[in-house]
């Protein structure tokens, strides 16, 4: 009986993933959360930056995952077509990389290169 229940639960979990527009998994604690983005959305994000000619920002320090973005750097809103699960973040474009930023802490949670 337990096996049947576990198999049923696994089937439900697997089938619900097929309807998702994007997969974002946040792991870690504190400022070191990591966001996983499906490859097709990474491509869409890169295309957006190119098509909209987003100008890269420059800072004294290199912006990396886990670092805090300086307060003088303007965070841009994430477009809705990047996926509804990403709209809670902001982004900066630096060094040919899009960096997703938690706007509450200004911490970089993901790099899209």
């Amino acid at each position: 009986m337990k096996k049947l229940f576990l198999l049923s639960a696994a089937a439900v979990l697997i089938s619900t993933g097929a309807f998702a527009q994007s997969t974002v998994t946040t792991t870690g604690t504190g400022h070191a959360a990591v966001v996983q983005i499906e490859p097709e959305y990474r491509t869409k994000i890169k295309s957006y930056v190119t098509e909209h000619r987003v100008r890269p920002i420059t800072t004294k320090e290199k912006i990396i995952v886990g670092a805090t973005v300086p307060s003088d750097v303007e965070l841009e809103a994430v477009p809705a077509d990047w996926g509804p699960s990403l709209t809670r973040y902001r982004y900066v474009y630096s060094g040919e990389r899009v960096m997703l930023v938690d706007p509450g802490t200004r911490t970089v949670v993901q790099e899209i290169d």
Side-chain angles (χ1 to χ4, degrees), residues 54-59 63 69-70 73-74 76 92-96:
V54 176
R55 288 181 28 153
I57 57 125
T58 55
T59 59
I63 298 176
V69 177
V73 173
E74 184 176 348
E76 300 292 334
V92 294
Y93 182 57
S94 175
E96 297 186 21

Side-chain angles (χ1 to χ4, degrees), residues 16-38:
T16 57
F19 297 108
Q21 290 185 3
S22 65
T23 302
V24 176
T25 306
T26 305
T27 59
T29 58
H31 299 296
V34 176
V35 178
Q36 300 297 322
I37 304 170
E38 295 295 325

Side-chain angles (χ1 to χ4, degrees), residues 9-75:
V12 168
L13 289 174
I14 290 170
S15 67
T16 57
F19 297 108
Q21 290 185 3
S22 65
T23 302
V24 176
T25 306
T26 305
T27 59
T29 58
H31 299 296
V34 176
V35 178
Q36 300 297 322
I37 304 170
E38 295 295 325
E40 63 269 16
Y41 283 92
R42 288 180 174 275
T43 302
K44 185 175 276 196
I45 292 167
K46 291 177 199 174
S47 296
Y48 176 91
V49 170
T50 303
E51 291 169 7
H52 290 86
R53 298 182 181 169
V54 176
R55 288 181 28 153
I57 57 125
T58 55
T59 59
K60 291 180 184 177
E61 303 85 23
K62 185 175 180 181
I63 298 176
I64 59 172
V65 174
T68 302
V69 177
S71 60
D72 62 333
V73 173
E74 184 176 348
L75 302 178

Side-chain angles (χ1 to χ4, degrees), residues 75-107:
L75 302 178
E76 300 292 334
V78 169
D81 64 341
W82 289 12
S85 55
L86 296 181
T87 57
R88 69 181 222 129
Y89 298 103
R90 300 294 178 259
Y91 78 93
V92 294
Y93 182 57
S94 175
E96 297 186 21
R97 299 166 302 144
V98 174
M99 309 300 271
L100 286 180
V101 179
D102 179 333
T105 62
R106 298 185 66 87
T107 302

